[in-house]
Amino acid sequence: MMRFLLLFSRQGKLRLQKWFTPMAEREKKKIIRDMTTMVLARQPRSCNFLHWKDLKVIYKRYASLYFCLAVDNQENELLALEVIHRYVELLDKYFGNVCELDIIFNFEKAYFILDEFLMGGEIQETSKQMVNRSIEASDMLQEDDNSDWYEVELFG
Amino acid sequence: MSPSVPLQEMIRAIRSARTQCEERGVIQRECAAIRAQFRQSDNGGRSHNLAKLLYVHMLGYPAHFGQMECVRMIASPRYSEKRVGYLGAMMLLDEKQDASLLITNSIKNDLSHSNQYVQSLALCTLACMGSAEMCRDLAPEIDRLLRASNSYIKKKAALCAVHIVRKVHDLGELFAPAARSLLTEKNHGVLHGAVVLITELCERNPETLERFRKNVPDLVQIMKGLVISGYSPEHDVAGISDPFLQVRILRLLRILGRNNEAASDAMNDLLAQVATNTDSTKTVGNAVLYETVLTVLDIKSESGLRVLAVNILGRFLLNNDRNIRYIAMISLQKIVGTDHNAVQRHRGTIVDCLKDQDASVKRRALDLSLALVSASNIRSMMKELLLFLSSCPLELRSQAASGIFNAAERYAPSQRWHIDTILHVLTTAGGDVRDETVPNLIQLITNASELHCYTVHKLYRALLTDISQQSLVQVACWCIGEYGDLLLRGECQETEAVQVSEDDVLDALETVLQSHMSSPATRGFALTATMKLSTRITDNVDRIRSIVSIYGSCIDVELQQRAVEYNALFKKYDHMRAAVLERMPVIEKNSPGHTNGESTGEPVKDIQPAKVKQGGPLLPQQPANQVCDLLDLLGGSEEPLQPSPAVAGTAPGLPANTISQAGGDLLDLLGGLEPAPLAPAPAMPVYEKDGVTLTLSCEKQSDSGLTVTLTASNSTDSDISSFTLQAAVPKSVQLHMKAPSGDSLPARGAAKVTQMVVLNNPNKVNLKMRVRISYNSQGSAFQDTVQIDSFPGLSAAGH
């Protein structure tokens, strides 16, 4: 299973964190520090796989964001790269040419999309269209029962 | 209070803060506003407040005051509030927080909500942070959803079930039937979830594994459908139809086929088909191929298929993509033991990877290359490895050096080759080799007697070029000292002759002695070598004498001692000098000097069988040894039985780990032969209650060993029977209780009971001992515990 997914910028600022196992706050902070240091220190054209404690860490850089996924030792690393790529594609479809700012200002949407794609450390849906459709439907449901105030914010 | 700012404006404000301090200020203001808003009753902006708080939390600031708000939002009827509430629950709550219990009810209600998106929120949250109690509570509900709902919910319920099984293993049985029926679904999401669930169940329970083996044909069928069927736009990734599902099914097949001929046969054809038909130009195809290879190598596949798998790995090695090369090497490493010949075929490619730019790839290539060295390829491999050593990154050097040494030792075709190789390593990476290299090399050199001349010439030349590599310099000095006469003779069959005068040699040694690069050990070598030369050269003995006397006042104590002794050898014991400094005999491998630790094991073991034959009831001494934890006094130990002759009790009970105490214990074993000796040192009373007195005296046996003698006496008017003592000590201390002298204490102190306890405190921790006293008196059982913090005759620190 996947243990955690982290997105951080080249300066080490965290943009998204998803933990698939329960962990104390202090431990999470330490892991974030370790991951950012390790991944940011890597040479540009090196292997995308790292070993950290008893986990495999797969990372990939997309523009200014590093996507860092930690999996159990018996997982398939090449498939993990595909998982990261799939998530980027989903974000891209939703935001239209996604960039780091989209994820910063709409972080909760990034989480909602992630929650339609992965769950409990495993892949939930393998079809891109299905995930997109679910997100669209949920968004419409949200718009339906919102207040005037929310509407103002969206178009204001 | 200031009005709260909409979410995006707040983010902008935080980002525009120029310093950390400014950012903290903005966040503090925002958090205060958010807190105030939480306290107000329902207003339209609740979800935005929580979202702001979650953003602040992601930046690393505390957000625990939002937990109750999450609980409230989850219970709200509005979807937008539920959505953010559940997100907050997943980010801020985990099973350790008390607030997490409060959402169990909301989740339960939402699981049967009419709207599937609300159900999905509940399922997602449960799978993310559901505690064991919540899982147990809601498992039947999840099972219901697994059977009767739409595919959107079914796939989520399946992964929720996976989480439940991980948290509460026994519930696996509950989900097995539903999981099996899900295999007939057409929807890929549900199918994927089902396969993950079945994998989880099979990994945890071997019986479930047996039952699911029957489904191998179904899985094979599904896989075939994916591999052969036409283009399906919805699940296609670069020409591969749903690679995620394919990989999961392959993994499940691997688990089902492991150690089972029948299942492995059933999937043979399929695996061959996937291996040959999958397009390997993109990463996604290689991911599927990789999983296939892993499966083939793990199940009982036929040899043709195995060769196919290894060939795929060989192809991976030639791939331009660095990740794929890395993967290939990891997999080859796993099978190099079992399929050695198959891997040997790809040796050339592996050796080429030693020259790769990437450090991880280099490391893997090094491991694999060392594993592939054999008697037939040793010369060519060693050439490559030595080349690698000269250019490899620093962190791999010592590993490479020791690997080369091992390989050389096992497969050296000739002694000269062996010595050459070691010398080469020492000149290239002398600083990174292990310490035992020097004595090992010296031992090797003495054994190769016909090569002494060659060796000493080579080493002398190496010494002239570079004296910074300490191991090399040490060996060189030693050889020059030993074989200096061969060096000076000038002729040598193996290398070109060069004229070396005695002054040259002494110059070289003096350079080493005076250089600031030489370590103290190296200078010791050089000094001794200089001294040895006094019997091997003829003209410059005076020069040697003066060098030696200079060092008689050296600051380094070791050098000074050597110099003074050598001086004495010149002056008072000149008649012995020649004999003392003559050629050394061939050094045997594994001489006592090499293995200091293990040799003492033997004698103790010899004594054991003899003692056992002496009969008498076996006293179970092992439990006492395991009672090391101060708090765990009763490690299931039984009290020692009748007072048998102390002899039989001690020896058989010695578990292996106390044998390492060797010296101290050996003496105590013999000491145990006599009836328990009286306490020699001053006895200190440690316990006095109800007429039972316990005194303690101790005697230091060694630096870390201590013998404690406990003496009990009974001053009441009635006899005491079944008197036993149990002891516990801190974790790193070793404890060994001898047989007590008896177990009955007659009234009015007519006789005493003594028991010896041997302690070993290697880590020199603060020595404490807890003693539990149990006995029967006047028909009732008594028990008491006393803690001893200080031992007479020991300092407070317990040394």
Side-chain angles (χ1 to χ4, degrees):
Chain A
M1 66 177 273
M2 298 175 236
R3 293 302 181 97
F4 55 84
L5 172 67
L6 300 174
L7 265 71
F8 47 87
S9 69
R10 275 196 289 169
Q11 287 76 38
K13 279 206 119 92
L14 192 66
R15 298 300 176 205
L16 188 141
Q17 52 175 327
K18 184 76 187 178
W19 304 89
F20 296 110
T21 42
M23 249 184 269
E25 274 296 326
R26 198 181 302 147
E27 232 182 297
K28 287 186 194 173
K29 288 210 162 84
K30 180 166 188 308
I31 291 178
I32 294 169
R33 262 202 315 273
D34 285 347
M35 287 292 124
T36 42
T37 339
M38 258 185 8
V39 171
L40 291 172
R42 294 282 281 182
Q43 300 290 349
R45 266 187 304 277
S46 33
C47 194
N48 291 93
F49 311 136
L50 288 168
H51 270 276
W52 182 79
K53 300 214 180 150
D54 60 335
L55 300 175
K56 291 189 202 176
V57 174
I58 296 97
Y59 74 94
K60 192 136 192 239
R61 188 176 138 205
Y62 286 86
S64 58
L65 268 182
Y66 280 94
F67 286 70
C68 181
L69 180 63
V71 300
D72 282 338
N73 251 324
Q74 67 263 47
E75 293 287 329
N76 185 326
E77 296 99 315
L78 296 175
L79 199 74
L81 272 176
E82 287 302 310
V83 168
I84 294 177
H85 191 72
R86 174 59 67 91
Y87 182 48
V88 173
E89 282 179 329
L90 291 169
L91 291 171
D92 195 55
K93 186 75 199 292
Y94 184 80
F95 289 108
N97 275 333
V98 67
C99 64
E100 191 182 342
L101 282 178
D102 290 319
I103 300 182
I104 294 172
F105 282 94
N106 300 287
F107 70 96
E108 77 276 20
K109 301 278 168 52
Y111 276 103
F112 294 149
I113 296 173
L114 188 63
D115 287 335
E116 285 295 329
F117 175 43
L118 304 174
M119 194 163 107
E122 305 284 350
I123 299 168
Q124 191 191 137
E125 178 57 67
T126 56
S127 153
K128 269 189 282 191
Q129 287 89 320
M130 281 302 304
V131 177
N132 287 327
R133 263 180 251 155
S134 319
I135 294 288
E136 278 166 28
S138 309
D139 281 347
M140 277 203 290
L141 194 57
Q142 184 160 341
E143 275 180 41
D144 274 348
D145 78 14
N146 61 28
S147 66
D148 295 84
W149 195 68
Y150 180 77
E151 234 163 32
V152 166
E153 175 162 293
L154 237 144
F155 301 110
Chain B
M1 82 208 114
S2 53
S4 79
V5 180
L7 171 64
Q8 304 207 337
E9 280 195 32
M10 179 192 85
I11 297 178
R12 237 171 259 132
I14 293 175
R15 281 170 60 79
S16 59
R18 268 161 296 149
T19 61
Q20 187 75 289
C21 199
E22 224 180 298
E23 181 182 291
R24 252 180 301 199
V26 173
I27 288 180
Q28 258 176 334
R29 273 197 309 275
E30 286 300 331
C31 283
I34 293 170
R35 246 187 283 233
Q37 294 278 351
F38 283 169
R39 268 174 289 182
Q40 282 180 16
S41 54
D42 182 25
N43 54 26
R46 271 173 71 187
S47 51
H48 304 290
N49 280 324
L50 189 56
K52 280 190 224 169
L53 184 61
L54 294 178
Y55 183 80
V56 164
H57 170 76
M58 187 153 63
L59 291 179
Y61 295 89
H64 43 270
F65 56 89
Q67 287 175 5
M68 283 316 290
E69 185 68 10
C70 291
V71 176
R72 253 175 267 138
M73 300 263 284
I74 288 174
S76 154
R78 293 159 95 175
Y79 179 70
S80 55
E81 293 185 352
K82 269 197 206 283
R83 217 180 181 194
V84 184
Y86 274 117
L87 180 64
M90 286 193 272
M91 283 175 77
L92 300 177
L93 296 173
D94 57 43
E95 52 189 40
K96 299 193 185 71
Q97 314 282 352
D98 298 325
S100 64
L101 290 171
L102 297 171
I103 64 174
T104 313
N105 218 21
S106 298
I107 293 184
K108 197 187 224 146
N109 292 336
D110 284 337
L111 279 177
S112 19
H113 201 277
S114 51
N115 187 312
Q116 65 177 7
Y117 296 106
V118 175
Q119 284 180 300
S120 118
L121 288 175
L123 284 166
C124 193
T125 310
L126 183 61
C128 177
M129 42 78 72
S131 64
E133 291 89 49
M134 284 164 75
C135 289
R136 248 185 277 261
D137 239 349
L138 299 166
E141 190 61 27
I142 303 296
D143 188 48
R144 188 182 65 79
L145 289 171
L146 266 181
R147 294 168 195 278
S149 54
N150 60 29
S151 38
Y152 180 70
I153 294 299
K154 268 193 200 162
K155 78 180 182 216
K156 294 186 189 253
L159 290 179
C160 214
V162 173
H163 174 84
I164 292 178
V165 170
R166 284 185 183 143
K167 275 273 183 260
V168 185
H169 304 327
D170 330 321
L171 287 171
E173 279 313 297
L174 173 64
F175 295 117
R180 186 173 291 115
S181 61
L182 285 176
L183 277 181
T184 52
E185 294 271 339
K186 290 283 167 244
N187 180 297
H188 281 223
V190 180
L191 213 43
H192 188 276
V195 173
V196 176
L197 179 57
I198 296 174
T199 311
E200 192 67 32
L201 294 174
C202 290
E203 274 175 343
R204 292 193 185 272
N205 191 332
E207 287 158 18
T208 322
L209 180 71
E210 278 301 322
R211 272 182 277 142
F212 272 107
R213 280 224 179 90
K214 299 189 211 97
N215 292 98
V216 169
D218 303 316
L219 291 165
V220 169
Q221 207 48 42
I222 299 172
M223 243 337 248
K224 276 213 172 99
L226 290 171
V227 174
I228 303 175
S229 75
Y231 178 70
S232 147
E234 200 172 333
H235 299 107
D236 180 87
V237 181
I240 315 274
S241 190
D242 207 338
F244 303 106
L245 182 58
Q246 287 196 29
V247 167
R248 275 330 287 230
I249 294 181
L250 285 168
R251 225 167 88 186
L252 179 56
L253 287 175
R254 179 153 88 236
I255 295 171
L256 294 174
R258 207 179 270 159
N259 294 329
N260 186 298
E261 294 278 350
S264 304
D265 281 338
M267 50 180 96
N268 238 323
D269 286 342
L270 169 72
L271 292 171
Q273 202 163 27
V274 177
T276 32
N277 286 352
T278 308
D279 175 23
S280 60
T281 44
K282 292 269 171 69
T283 309
V284 70
N286 288 323
V288 175
L289 279 175
Y290 177 45
E291 198 71 30
T292 315
V293 167
L294 289 178
T295 303
V296 166
L297 294 174
D298 211 8
I299 63 172
K300 291 198 177 293
S301 48
E302 50 177 51
S303 58
L305 196 53
R306 282 187 96 85
V307 171
L308 183 59
V310 177
N311 285 345
I312 291 179
L313 290 178
R315 260 197 353 254
F316 277 2
L317 280 177
L318 298 166
N319 197 305
N320 284 328
D321 188 342
R322 186 165 282 129
N323 294 329
I324 307 221
R325 289 207 295 275
Y326 179 83
I327 294 287
M329 279 197 276
I330 292 193
S331 317
L332 286 171
Q333 182 82 34
K334 286 194 209 138
I335 58 166
V336 76
T338 44
D339 296 73
H340 191 93
N341 294 328
V343 182
Q344 277 283 3
R345 255 178 259 139
H346 303 281
R347 189 167 39 102
T349 336
I350 293 171
V351 166
D352 280 338
C353 287
L354 282 172
K355 307 189 187 94
D356 197 296
Q357 300 289 351
D358 183 79
S360 322
V361 171
K362 271 206 208 192
R363 185 191 299 268
R364 296 286 154 208
L366 176 65
D367 286 339
L368 254 181
S369 307
L370 290 173
L372 286 177
V373 172
S374 72
S376 47
N377 58 31
I378 180 73
R379 282 189 196 263
S380 49
M381 284 296 277
M382 196 50 81
K383 246 189 274 201
E384 296 289 339
L385 287 170
L386 288 174
L387 203 61
F388 173 70
L389 189 64
S390 45
S391 60
C392 79
L394 289 167
E395 61 268 14
L396 289 177
R397 267 192 156 179
S398 61
Q399 191 184 348
S402 28
I404 289 176
F405 282 149
N406 284 338
E409 204 166 301
R410 286 166 69 186
Y411 302 114
S414 74
Q415 281 186 319
R416 174 175 160 179
W417 182 94
H418 196 173
I419 290 177
D420 277 343
T421 311
I422 298 189
L423 288 179
H424 194 137
V425 174
L426 285 180
T427 39
T428 2
D432 297 298
V433 297
R434 286 194 320 257
D435 293 330
E436 9 351 323
T437 319
V438 172
N440 282 345
L441 180 55
I442 290 178
Q443 185 255 319
L444 191 66
I445 291 174
T446 53
N447 273 318
S449 43
E450 57 293 351
L451 290 171
H452 288 165
C453 190
Y454 166 74
T455 315
V456 74
H457 273 265
K458 269 203 98 156
L459 283 169
Y460 174 71
R461 253 189 287 254
L463 196 62
L464 288 180
T465 6
D466 174 23
I467 57 168
S468 61
Q469 307 269 39
Q470 297 303 300
S471 324
L472 182 63
V473 174
Q474 286 172 7
V475 176
C477 288
W478 189 91
C479 283
I480 294 176
E482 269 299 293
Y483 310 121
D485 46 334
L486 296 174
L487 183 61
L488 294 165
R489 230 184 286 147
E491 31 150 294
C492 182
Q493 307 147 303
E494 315 254 354
T495 89
E496 44 180 84
V498 61
Q499 273 303 96
V500 182
S501 75
E502 297 180 0
D503 273 316
D504 294 334
V505 176
L506 288 174
D507 283 341
L509 286 176
E510 245 187 311
T511 322
V512 174
L513 267 175
Q514 291 163 352
S515 163
H516 62 277
M517 287 191 279
S518 303
S519 72
T522 313
R523 292 164 87 191
F525 268 92
L527 189 62
T528 309
T530 315
M531 188 59 195
K532 280 195 216 168
L533 282 178
S534 71
T535 48
R536 290 159 175 75
I537 62 176
T538 45
D539 299 329
N540 291 15
V541 184
D542 286 328
R543 184 172 168 189
I544 295 180
R545 225 189 291 244
S546 61
I547 295 176
V548 166
S549 60
I550 289 173
Y551 278 89
S553 41
C554 174
I555 290 180
D556 186 288
V557 175
E558 171 70 30
L559 277 181
Q560 192 188 102
Q561 179 174 2
R562 288 192 193 205
V564 166
E565 287 172 4
Y566 295 155
N567 243 335
L569 210 52
F570 267 123
K571 301 216 171 82
K572 277 191 353 190
Y573 301 100
D574 204 34
H575 53 281
M576 285 172 53
R577 188 161 50 93
V580 168
L581 297 174
E582 72 175 6
R583 193 73 108 230
M584 283 220 202
V586 172
I587 301 174
E588 290 298 323
K589 239 188 148 60
N590 293 331
S591 52
H594 287 188
T595 53
N596 274 320
E598 300 94 76
S599 50
T600 48
E602 273 47 52
V604 180
K605 289 201 188 94
D606 287 337
I607 296 180
Q608 269 193 340
K611 289 254 169 111
V612 171
K613 289 192 201 109
Q614 294 190 23
L618 278 181
L619 296 181
Q621 297 291 344
Q622 283 99 314
N625 281 315
Q626 282 149 18
V627 182
C628 290
D629 188 342
L630 250 186
L631 300 170
D632 183 17
L633 196 47
L634 269 183
S637 62
E638 310 312 313
E639 294 81 323
L641 303 169
Q642 297 306 317
S644 55
V647 164
T650 53
L654 262 188
N657 57 4
T658 55
I659 293 177
S660 59
Q661 293 170 45
D665 249 347
L666 195 53
L667 296 172
D668 285 333
L669 271 175
L670 297 171
L673 276 171
E674 299 105 49
L678 293 172
M684 174 181 94
V686 294
Y687 174 83
E688 224 166 299
K689 200 170 156 189
D690 298 332
V692 177
T693 324
L694 192 65
T695 59
L696 176 146
S697 68
C698 46
E699 202 177 42
K700 242 172 132 24
Q701 299 296 341
S702 68
D703 197 33
S704 59
L706 178 73
T707 308
V708 168
T709 308
L710 297 160
T711 314
S713 64
N714 170 16
S715 60
T716 64
D717 285 346
S718 44
D719 293 348
I720 282 178
S721 59
S722 312
F723 182 90
T724 49
L725 292 170
Q726 289 162 293
V729 286
K731 271 211 170 69
S732 64
V733 180
Q734 290 148 5
L735 172 80
H736 177 56
M737 288 189 94
K738 308 280 184 176
S741 61
D743 76 335
S744 60
L745 286 170
R748 287 177 282 268
K752 292 186 201 271
V753 163
T754 34
Q755 177 149 27
M756 288 220 305
V757 182
V758 181
L759 297 173
N760 192 20
N761 187 3
N763 292 349
K764 304 258 198 305
V765 302
N766 220 349
L767 199 55
K768 292 186 259 223
M769 191 159 80
R770 212 180 257 185
V771 179
R772 179 180 278 165
I773 303 158
S774 349
Y775 59 91
N776 287 343
S777 169
Q778 296 172 311
S780 27
F782 290 79
Q783 220 183 53
D784 208 347
T785 318
V786 62
Q787 177 152 331
I788 303 162
D789 289 327
S790 65
F791 291 75
L794 284 185
S795 67
H799 299 320

